[in-house]
Amino acid sequence: MERISVDTAGVPCADRAPTREIRIALVLYGGVSLAVYENGVTRCFYDLVRQQGPLAHLLELVDATAAVDVVAGSSAGGINGLLLAAALECGTDFSATADVWRRLGDLGDLLLDVRLARGADSLLAGKTYYQGELVRAFEMLCGVHGRAPHDPAPFEIDVFVTGTDFAGRERRYHDATGDEIADRTHRTVFQLKYRPDRRGLGCPNREPSPDRRTQARILAAVARITSAFPAAFPPFQVADLGPDAEPVARALAATGQLALDDVRRRPFVDGGVLDNKPFGPALRAIFHRMPREGVVDRRLFFVEPDPDPRCDADAPLDLRPLGVPLRCFQFRGHESIGDELEFIRNHNARLAWLRAMRTSAADGSAPPPEATLRGSFYARCRVDALALSLLARDENRAVSAADVPEAADERARFDGLVENLNELFVDHSWLDSYDADFHLRRGFHLLYALHERLGEDDDPAVADAMRRTGRAIKATKLVRDQLVLLRNALAGGTDRMPTYEPRDLVNAVGWFLEARREHWHALVTTRPDDPFPSAALSATAHDAYAAGQKLAHDLLAGARPAGPFERTVLEPIGETLDEIARRVPAHGGDSRRWPAGETELARFVASDAALFPLQFSSGIYELDEIEFVRVSPVDAQLGLSSGPPHAKIAGDALGHFAAFLRRDWRSNDLLMGRLDGSCQIVRALLDDAAARRLVRRIACTDWRPPFDAASLRERYPRCPDRTLAKLAEAGEALVKLALDCGPAGPDAERLHAVAETLRRELVSATHWTIFMTDVEGIVADHYLQEHVYRGDRGKSPALLEQQAAVEARTRLSSLREDDADAHWRLYQQLRLGEVTIAGRGGVPSPVLLHYGARAYLFLWSMLEKSLDATVAGRVMTRRARLVLRTPVSAIHGISGWVTKGEGRALLPGTAVGLVAASFAAAAGLVALAPGPTPQAAWTLGKLALGIGTVAAALLWLMPRARRAQF
């Protein structure tokens, strides 16, 4: 009989793996050019997960790793969520996406050429320029053109991106009387899943290594759907993609749970139309997830770049006849998140009760005898759960009662499988040998108990047991994942349930799990040093995948394995967990408060018998509270993030389009996103509870946090010396507090004061490191934008960028390299966040006039195209075009001529000549006319209006065109 041995040699505390796992769900709102700010925020989460930059120091202090495993985004937020998930999946550098926003987010590049105005269906080039740049960005992140600098993320990621099905999908229901109720839904959510070594984001197939080029086009299509802002961008249609249409259509149908024919012919628009704050999908994903490897701290961050105004209860209400409907219109435009936040609070309250019930059920209770479990409600729930896990779709979650199928044929297969399982599991031990989810719950029960005890005494033996328990959990998770892959293969790679007999399915699972099979050899071989080394896990995953695919092929070809089978691979894994627990002694002999590990596992059976039916019925398995944190310019007010919220970012002006007008405004918003994001991450992760654990760890071990000068300089390059000195002082104060108070720890008020000082100095050091790294690029972008607006468009972009970079280095070289305050003052003098659209430091008037005229011409054509031909012929007559369109077209051409810096010397003479010509023409026509007829008067009026408009525009543009700087 195989047995996996355990080496009980202790691991020094300083060398141990992190004891906690911070799992992050990220909700990203829509907001047009506020996408730039959100990109800076998501860069912080990428750095946190990859443990790079200053945030790596934060994880070291809180003794944790971090994972972004749930992302939900709409519109601009959907794009950034997809970019982040793609970078994490493929191990590529997310920071490169900042350059994409800086370079390509210019309104002048996004606007369609005015020659395409006739027949246009949008203002911006969504089908050409925008689509192409999205594809190139995702190709970069998917590693199409080069090797990824990092390993892929080892954790699963679920991405939810909202869209709006313009045509809508019809649903039909029947009420209690049998009458049919028809409904139409337009809200669409695309769920993209990343499963390590199993499937890539957006890929409909489940190949471990997807085609990255096709994947990039799928991700670009989803990004374009969610950001197809009405009128600004055209609706997305698969047919626009040409040769890439069919694989993209199949992926959209699979991820959006849509019919393939509907995807091929239906248009989609911006997801923010119906759901701009997609909390719902993120919450549902969190509630159904199981812990991955260690003790979990769950955080839900939501990014709101432009928060709604705070409610003022004392403000007088406008009850005038027009005031009421206007206020009600504001209510309709406001999408409240109060219900979602209240739902999280209620969820946390329920979890507190469930944890109390678990403790109460296990505390002091002997495990129930085997006979009482046989045929019990607990056993019935476990059999149903096992049957559903063999039939359910590919999901990274434990099944629940809600997964019981409703369709008659699927329900029949489920009932048959339950019947066969009940016949097979004549005693409870057989059920344990097939139920991977049971072993996962058992492992996590021991892990959490050990972690709670480690917080009290930090015993090296307990730390070593935690590490080995985590290995056992990894091995169990591997077996569970391979069962999911086997189910997928048996279903022919689709999401349908298997169609063969339940007995054949049970026998196939038994054959696959049998411990003596060669594909489990690396996992069950005796290893004195480590029960489940990484090499054994990798080899087992590869061999089991190949064996599962071959078994599925043989079954589909007619082969039928016969049972019963002697012993499954889950049994030696469970015995390893028993042996780990057996070596954990009781704490100080107090077996009632801290029982030995073996006793703790025995108590699990009583706990699981009481708790699992509740979990199975509710679908809530993750017993970790969800702490929610908002990231916005309002909330981030430490370090360099301090200041009036609307003076910090540029993208919140001009209906959230302002950041598209200047490159230096986009650079500013990227920087502010990084500053605000890092501020909120530090505040949320190093809270008072984490500070108390840090104090206890210092008091109970020889480990000391790295606050010496050399360590801080390595972690915070280019940070001012005085800031590092303050950070070192705050860290030393925390260490002194820990040593003075001992394992019992200080009182809450004293701890909060010391922790708040440490948080403030950590934020300050992180901010200075980020700012000093980015300041040169911001100044260079400012000079580049000034060159462009001075009329240097004739020069090549590369030459302009080179010239701006030289000017920025020259300007900064006049400052001492270590004088961070001088660099900050220079940045503040630019006033990039305090946006004034027109005027000095803003957008030159000729450029605004040029953009406005172009938008007007496109809107005219879009209106003309939208009206019925008869109505358009009556409204948009030749006379109306001459009066309402022709002058604007002339202004567009002249303003474009001015912004390109062409013919400025001719402007004064041209303007005077046109004014004189207008008067001469008017006088000549009056003299030649035989009489003042209405037609002649109308002709004179048109001519005078057109020439006068052009002349006035030239006279108004003339002084602005002559300015040395805009």
Side-chain angles (χ1 to χ4, degrees):
M1 184 175 293
E2 304 90 342
R3 181 170 295 278
I4 305 172
S5 64
V6 180
D7 179 19
T8 58
V11 177
C13 185
D15 298 331
R16 70 181 185 182
T19 59
R20 304 184 78 82
E21 180 185 6
I22 298 170
R23 297 175 66 171
I24 295 169
L26 193 58
V27 178
L28 299 161
Y29 294 3
V32 199
S33 75
L34 290 173
V36 182
Y37 174 87
E38 289 184 330
N39 184 264
V41 175
T42 49
R43 165 82 177 275
C44 295
F45 288 101
Y46 178 86
D47 290 343
L48 180 74
V49 172
R50 289 295 179 189
Q51 300 184 31
Q52 59 189 31
L55 293 176
H57 188 211
L58 173 66
L59 289 177
E60 192 174 355
L61 294 176
V62 299
D63 192 24
T65 60
V68 176
D69 61 345
V70 177
V71 179
S74 178
S75 193
I79 299 176
N80 283 305
L82 286 168
L83 293 173
L84 174 63
L88 290 174
E89 175 193 338
C90 300
T92 45
D93 185 10
F94 181 78
S95 64
T97 61
D99 292 330
V100 174
W101 285 113
R102 287 169 54 246
R103 291 184 297 102
L104 305 177
D106 184 78
L107 187 61
D109 294 329
L110 287 169
L111 281 169
L112 281 167
D113 192 301
V114 74
R115 290 171 293 184
L116 303 175
R118 288 194 177 276
D121 50 6
S122 67
L123 296 174
L124 307 179
K127 298 179 182 178
T128 53
Y129 178 80
Y130 186 51
Q131 174 74 27
E133 295 302 335
L134 282 175
V135 170
R136 278 186 280 274
F138 281 108
E139 283 183 345
M140 173 185 67
L141 291 177
C142 292
V144 172
H145 304 298
R147 186 176 180 180
H150 306 291
D151 293 329
F155 49 85
E156 295 91 348
I157 305 175
D158 284 281
V159 183
F160 301 90
V161 179
T162 63
T164 302
D165 183 346
F166 198 72
R169 303 177 301 282
E170 189 176 72
R171 293 181 177 179
R172 296 184 179 275
Y173 307 90
H174 290 86
D175 63 11
T177 65
D179 292 334
E180 187 177 78
I181 302 172
D183 185 36
R184 185 171 294 274
T185 179
H186 298 270
R187 181 180 282 107
T188 304
V189 177
F190 298 94
Q191 181 181 2
L192 294 82
K193 307 172 187 177
Y194 164 62
R195 305 290 183 259
D197 300 322
R198 290 162 54 196
R199 70 184 303 172
L201 285 170
C203 298
N205 55 13
R206 296 183 176 86
E207 294 298 326
S209 300
D211 177 6
R212 295 300 185 187
R213 191 176 297 278
T214 301
Q215 183 186 25
R217 282 153 176 75
I218 293 170
L219 297 179
V222 178
R224 197 182 137 203
I225 287 174
T226 193
S227 58
F229 193 82
F233 287 109
F236 172 87
Q237 291 183 286
V238 171
D240 297 336
L241 302 181
D244 301 323
E246 191 56 27
V248 171
R250 289 197 300 269
L252 294 178
T255 57
Q257 296 185 355
L258 304 168
L260 182 58
D261 288 340
D262 290 344
V263 173
R264 287 174 177 147
R265 59 187 175 82
R266 286 182 174 173
F268 294 87
V269 296
D270 194 328
V273 172
L274 295 176
D275 192 2
N276 199 46
K277 302 176 181 179
F279 277 85
L283 293 178
R284 287 190 291 273
I286 292 173
F287 293 158
H288 293 93
R289 296 184 86 85
M290 294 186 68
R292 187 168 66 93
E293 293 174 11
V295 176
V296 172
D297 280 343
R298 168 63 74 181
R299 296 288 190 275
L300 187 149
F301 287 87
F302 59 100
V303 184
E304 190 170 14
D306 188 14
D308 291 322
R310 298 179 183 271
C311 297
D312 187 356
D314 298 327
L317 296 176
D318 185 1
L319 297 178
R320 291 175 296 178
L322 291 180
V324 174
L326 288 176
R327 184 63 173 160
C328 292
F329 181 77
Q330 292 178 354
F331 293 159
R332 288 179 60 86
H334 171 69
E335 185 177 345
S336 173
I337 62 171
D339 291 343
E340 286 81 1
L341 300 184
E342 191 66 32
F343 191 78
I344 293 174
R345 293 204 310 190
N346 294 337
H347 170 78
N348 291 341
R350 286 193 296 269
L351 291 189
W353 181 84
L354 282 173
R355 285 196 302 270
M357 291 300 100
R358 180 180 62 182
T359 302
S360 175
D363 201 10
S365 302
E370 184 76 25
T372 63
L373 293 176
R374 202 174 302 143
S376 65
F377 180 65
Y378 168 63
R380 169 71 183 275
C381 291
R382 284 189 56 188
V383 170
D384 285 358
L386 178 58
L388 288 173
S389 69
L390 298 179
L391 295 174
R393 293 170 172 82
D394 179 18
E395 296 285 349
N396 181 38
R397 62 178 179 86
V399 294
S400 70
D403 295 309
V404 175
E406 296 182 1
D409 57 339
E410 294 182 350
R411 182 58 186 260
R413 283 195 292 275
F414 168 73
D415 291 339
L417 184 57
V418 169
E419 182 180 352
N420 277 271
L421 290 176
N422 282 321
E423 293 175 1
L424 176 64
F425 302 140
V426 293
D427 59 49
H428 207 261
S429 61
W430 267 104
L431 179 58
D432 294 350
S433 64
Y434 276 66
D435 192 351
D437 285 335
F438 169 80
H439 287 276
L440 278 177
R441 296 195 303 274
R442 190 167 178 260
F444 279 114
H445 178 90
L446 179 61
L447 184 70
Y448 273 65
L450 293 173
H451 183 269
E452 185 178 355
R453 174 171 166 184
L454 188 66
E456 291 289 334
D457 60 7
D458 215 58
D459 187 344
V462 177
D464 182 61
M466 282 188 64
R467 182 178 67 87
R468 297 181 184 282
T469 302
R471 287 285 189 176
I473 291 172
K474 278 188 175 182
T476 311
K477 184 71 163 50
L478 184 150
V479 175
R480 181 179 180 272
D481 291 345
Q482 294 302 323
L483 280 173
V484 172
L485 288 175
L486 175 64
R487 192 226 71 90
N488 295 339
L490 293 175
T494 70
D495 282 334
R496 298 189 305 272
M497 288 187 174
T499 56
Y500 35 79
E501 292 299 321
R503 172 64 68 180
D504 295 332
L505 176 59
V506 172
N507 289 338
V509 171
W511 184 95
F512 182 71
L513 288 178
E514 195 166 22
R516 65 183 180 181
R517 300 298 172 195
E518 186 176 355
H519 51 269
W520 302 123
H521 177 76
L523 199 63
V524 300
T525 302
T526 300
R527 296 180 181 274
D529 53 343
D530 196 332
F532 306 106
S534 298
L537 293 173
S538 299
T540 300
H542 179 271
D543 294 343
Y545 177 79
Q549 298 297 308
K550 184 179 185 304
L551 172 62
H553 180 271
D554 294 342
L555 283 171
L556 294 174
R560 294 292 181 266
F565 303 99
E566 297 180 3
R567 177 175 168 82
T568 72
V569 68
L570 292 171
E571 294 180 56
I573 295 177
E575 291 166 2
T576 300
L577 198 65
D578 291 336
E579 192 167 349
I580 294 170
R582 196 175 301 124
R583 303 303 181 101
V584 180
H587 175 51
D590 185 2
S591 60
R592 182 183 61 82
R593 178 169 174 77
W594 292 117
E598 188 176 14
T599 307
E600 186 65 56
L601 270 188
R603 293 170 58 186
F604 163 75
V605 179
S607 171
D608 199 53
L611 189 62
F612 178 73
L614 297 175
Q615 293 175 316
F616 179 69
S617 62
S618 65
I620 299 177
Y621 291 88
E622 188 179 75
L623 297 183
D624 302 292
E625 292 187 6
I626 303 171
E627 301 291 343
F628 56 87
V629 183
R630 185 173 72 170
V631 181
S632 79
V634 174
D635 306 294
Q637 291 293 327
L638 292 180
L640 300 182
S641 288
S642 303
H646 291 290
K648 289 164 63 174
I649 61 175
D652 59 355
L654 201 65
H656 297 170
F657 273 91
F660 291 153
L661 296 174
R662 288 187 64 110
R663 178 162 168 164
D664 50 354
W665 288 352
R666 295 192 292 278
S667 294
N668 170 82
D669 288 4
L670 285 166
L671 171 66
M672 279 299 162
R674 294 187 67 189
L675 297 182
D676 289 357
S678 59
C679 175
Q680 294 302 90
I681 288 174
V682 171
R683 292 180 62 201
L685 269 54
L686 189 60
D687 56 8
D688 286 354
R692 185 170 293 281
R693 291 193 297 267
L694 177 58
V695 165
R696 188 182 296 124
R697 183 181 177 193
I698 295 171
C700 296
T701 69
D702 294 332
W703 176 83
R704 296 293 176 267
F707 285 116
D708 58 281
S711 297
L712 293 180
R713 175 55 62 192
E714 179 183 356
R715 289 167 172 79
Y716 301 94
R718 299 198 66 185
C719 183
D721 290 337
R722 71 175 189 285
T723 302
L724 293 183
K726 290 182 179 179
L727 178 57
E729 183 180 348
E732 291 166 2
L734 184 78
V735 173
K736 184 177 184 302
L737 179 68
L739 298 178
D740 290 345
C741 298
D747 60 85
E749 185 176 350
R750 188 178 176 190
L751 175 68
H752 176 77
V754 174
E756 183 62 27
T757 302
L758 179 60
R759 282 191 288 267
R760 184 175 62 250
E761 298 307 329
L762 276 171
V763 169
S764 182
T766 301
H767 281 185
W768 280 115
T769 302
I770 292 172
F771 170 73
M772 293 299 290
T773 303
D774 290 357
V775 62
E776 183 177 325
I778 295 173
V779 176
D781 283 344
H782 177 70
Y783 284 127
L784 174 63
Q785 192 66 65
E786 292 297 313
H787 282 304
V788 171
Y789 280 161
R790 278 203 298 265
D792 295 338
R793 292 177 180 265
K795 298 181 180 178
S796 69
L799 181 61
L800 283 178
E801 290 202 23
Q802 182 180 2
Q803 183 178 347
V806 171
E807 291 179 356
R809 282 194 296 270
T810 302
R811 180 68 182 89
L812 294 175
S813 64
S814 63
L815 308 175
R816 287 207 338 262
E817 186 176 355
D818 60 347
D819 190 352
D821 288 333
H823 288 74
W824 181 251
R825 286 194 297 271
L826 172 62
Y827 165 73
Q828 287 187 310
Q829 289 171 5
L830 300 178
R831 305 173 68 88
L832 298 178
E834 302 176 22
V835 176
T836 301
I837 300 297
R840 189 174 184 84
V843 183
S845 300
V847 176
L848 285 176
L849 186 64
H850 184 65
Y851 288 164
R854 186 184 299 189
Y856 179 91
L857 295 175
F858 271 94
L859 290 173
W860 177 282
S861 298
M862 290 162 63
L863 178 62
E864 188 176 30
K865 185 178 179 181
S866 302
L867 294 176
D868 180 80
T870 304
V871 176
R874 292 176 180 175
V875 175
M876 296 186 169
T877 62
R878 184 178 180 184
R879 179 178 302 176
R881 291 176 60 85
L882 285 172
V883 175
L884 300 178
R885 189 182 186 280
T886 303
V888 178
S889 180
I891 291 173
H892 175 268
I894 295 170
S895 59
W897 191 44
V898 172
T899 57
K900 293 178 182 178
E902 299 172 357
R904 290 186 178 175
L906 302 177
L907 279 176
T910 304
V912 173
L914 282 173
V915 172
S918 66
F919 283 107
L925 288 172
V926 170
L928 293 174
T933 63
Q935 185 64 33
W938 173 245
T939 304
L940 291 174
K942 286 192 296 182
L943 183 61
L945 178 64
I947 299 177
T949 300
V950 173
L954 287 172
L955 289 172
W956 182 75
L957 289 171
M958 191 168 50
R960 291 159 177 79
R962 287 169 133 181
R963 289 167 58 181
Q965 282 191 343
F966 287 108

